[in-house]
Amino acid sequence: DSGVTQTPKHLITATGQRVTLRCSPRSGDLSVYWYQQSLDQGLQFLIQYYNGEERAKGNILERFSAQQFPDLHSELNLSSLELGDSALYFCASSVEGQGKNEQFFGPGTRLTVL
Amino acid sequence: TQLLEQSPQFLSIQEGENLTVYCNSSSVFSSLQWYRQEPGEGPVLLVTVVTGGEVKKLKRLTFQFGDARKDSSLHITAAQPGDTGLYLCAGFSGGYNKLIFGAGTRLAVHP
């Protein structure tokens, strides 16, 4: 158990819909990272937040957005869903914002878009 | 764009065999990490290599960072069924915040 929690574990929805994925980092970690893992693209960095502020952006679509709340939990919002958005979405957390520190991954949310 | 290429993609071996997994790039990385991911779980960090030529050992696993810091290898001695999983290499890009992952090597060790 990494100490990072993600909900829900599974999510099945239809094209065009909007979903919210939730992540609670390890106690004491200020940084939260979101990753997408699909069969054809592998594990890809989406976005990082540090203490409530966006720190780094990766291959995140405009239809996707994220935020980190004062209690440090984070949410990833996916809208206008397409079939190709079906993937595992992982959240990771680390102590500091520079990313060199170990990132601890949650168990992931499996999103299926039908 | 920094890319990490892993080979082989798949590896199916018998218990007790040795194996090596490779992670290559045309770019220099300040450090490389190796993760193992099991089905239904997130990746778990195994090791971070920082210095060119560095060798780190974790029980039966030996990790090496290339002298030019563009490649790394993972060698497993006497593989066991518990070693089964997806092995991912990753490197930091863009000021340490973006972790770039290779596509992974899926290892199956049969009893």
Side-chain angles (χ1 to χ4, degrees):
Chain A
D1 185 353
S2 66
V4 178
T5 60
Q6 290 187 248
T7 57
K9 194 163 179 62
H10 301 277
L11 198 48
I12 300 174
T13 188
T15 54
Q17 295 299 305
R18 172 190 170 95
V19 297
T20 298
L21 312 184
R22 182 188 169 102
C23 167
S24 292
R26 292 187 322 154
S27 177
D29 285 358
L30 298 179
S31 263
V32 168
Y33 309 80
W34 286 97
Y35 294 86
Q36 179 193 58
Q37 187 174 39
S38 60
L39 285 175
D40 57 343
Q41 295 289 328
L43 194 59
Q44 292 211 317
F45 169 77
L46 295 178
I47 197 165
Q48 178 207 0
Y49 278 82
Y50 174 74
N51 204 20
E53 294 188 2
E54 183 183 305
R55 180 60 69 93
K57 230 171 183 176
N59 302 319
I60 188 166
L61 300 172
E62 286 192 11
R63 301 183 285 109
F64 296 0
S65 65
Q67 54 183 326
Q68 186 179 28
F69 295 87
D71 68 352
L72 300 178
H73 90 271
S74 178
E75 292 180 356
L76 179 66
N77 300 296
L78 315 176
S79 62
S80 302
L81 285 169
E82 302 174 359
L83 295 177
D85 297 327
S86 295
L88 271 166
Y89 290 84
F90 288 102
C91 166
S93 72
S94 69
V95 173
E96 296 180 355
Q98 283 304 305
K100 285 185 76 174
N101 291 298
E102 179 176 355
Q103 294 183 22
F104 294 85
F105 283 78
T109 292
R110 182 175 293 278
L111 174 66
T112 302
V113 182
L114 301 175
Chain B
T1 303
Q2 292 178 297
L3 292 173
L4 288 167
E5 295 184 356
Q6 287 190 244
S7 61
Q9 266 190 294
F10 301 96
L11 201 49
S12 180
I13 62 173
Q14 294 298 124
E15 182 176 2
E17 290 185 27
N18 301 332
L19 66 115
T20 302
V21 173
Y22 300 93
C23 175
N24 296 295
S25 176
S26 58
S27 303
V28 174
F29 283 88
S30 57
S31 64
L32 280 180
Q33 298 184 324
W34 285 93
Y35 289 79
R36 182 168 74 201
Q37 184 180 12
E38 299 186 26
E41 299 180 10
V44 175
L45 180 65
L46 296 174
V47 78
T48 301
V49 285
V50 179
T51 306
E54 181 178 5
V55 176
K56 280 191 174 179
K57 290 192 175 182
L58 188 66
K59 296 182 182 178
R60 294 176 294 100
L61 277 60
T62 301
F63 304 85
Q64 187 161 4
F65 200 11
D67 290 340
R69 292 185 288 129
K70 292 183 178 181
D71 57 270
S72 181
S73 64
L74 158 59
H75 181 80
I76 301 180
T77 303
Q80 299 177 1
D83 296 326
T84 294
L86 178 66
Y87 288 83
L88 298 158
C89 69
F92 286 105
S93 171
Y96 303 122
N97 290 330
K98 301 179 185 181
L99 200 56
I100 307 297
F101 281 87
T105 292
R106 195 167 294 279
L107 171 66
V109 182
H110 305 283

